[in-house]
Amino acid sequence: MHYQAAECSWGYYMPVRSIGPDPLERVVRLASESAVVIFSLSSCCMCHAVKRLFCGMGVNPTVYELDQDPRGKEIERALVRLLGNSPGSVPVVFIGGKLIGAMDRVMASHINGTLVPLLKEAGALWL
C-alpha cells in the first residue's frame, strides 16, 4: 500500500533482509540505511500518528511493519532491549541512524523544537 503524492509516501512494508544472526545487529543496520526509519505495527494507532507526523513535515520515512515480517517478533524484542525494556515497544524512530526513541521522545523533540534540526542534519528535511 503506497500513498499518492498528495499524501504520504512512506514504504508500507520493507522486508527485513537477513543481515546476521543477531536481531539487534539487524536493527542497527536497517536504522542506518535511511535518513528516517520507523519500526511499526500496521494496526498500531501510535505508529500511524508518528508516520503522519513525519509525512506532514514533508519527510518520507522508511517504515518496517513488524507484524508483516516473519522475523518481526525478533526485531521487536531487540527494540525493547534498546529502549530499556520500557512498555510499548513501537513505534521506534531512528533519525540519521541514531535512536530517537518511542512516540513520547519523538513528540517531546517535536514540541521542544529539536526534531527539525535533527531531520535537517540527517538530510531528511531540506527547508
Side-chain angles (χ1 to χ4, degrees):
M1 172 183 200
H2 289 282
Y3 290 82
Q4 299 299 324
E7 293 189 35
C8 188
S9 60
W10 67 73
Y12 177 69
Y13 168 71
M14 302 293 295
V16 178
R17 295 177 301 284
S18 181
I19 297 172
D22 182 24
L24 194 53
E25 190 178 303
R26 284 196 305 272
V27 166
V28 170
R29 176 81 179 267
L30 293 170
S32 66
E33 290 180 350
S34 298
V36 178
V37 174
I38 302 171
F39 290 93
S40 172
L41 294 173
S42 60
S43 61
C44 171
C45 63
M46 298 305 276
C47 296
H48 180 74
V50 81
K51 291 181 277 192
R52 295 302 307 165
L53 170 69
F54 284 110
C55 289
M57 298 173 77
V59 173
N60 291 320
T62 298
V63 176
Y64 294 98
E65 299 290 0
L66 300 178
D67 56 333
Q68 297 180 12
D69 191 284
R71 299 182 81 183
K73 281 290 182 197
E74 292 175 24
I75 293 172
E76 193 171 354
R77 284 190 292 272
L79 292 167
V80 168
R81 287 194 337 238
L82 270 177
L83 294 173
N85 294 320
S86 65
S89 60
V90 291
V92 178
V93 176
F94 289 81
I95 299 175
K98 298 174 189 165
L99 174 65
I100 302 305
M103 183 69 163
D104 59 338
R105 299 275 183 165
V106 172
M107 291 309 296
S109 294
H110 181 52
I111 291 167
N112 71 24
T114 59
L115 184 59
V116 169
L118 283 173
L119 293 168
K120 287 180 180 178
E121 183 180 321
L125 195 60
W126 304 103
L127 301 175

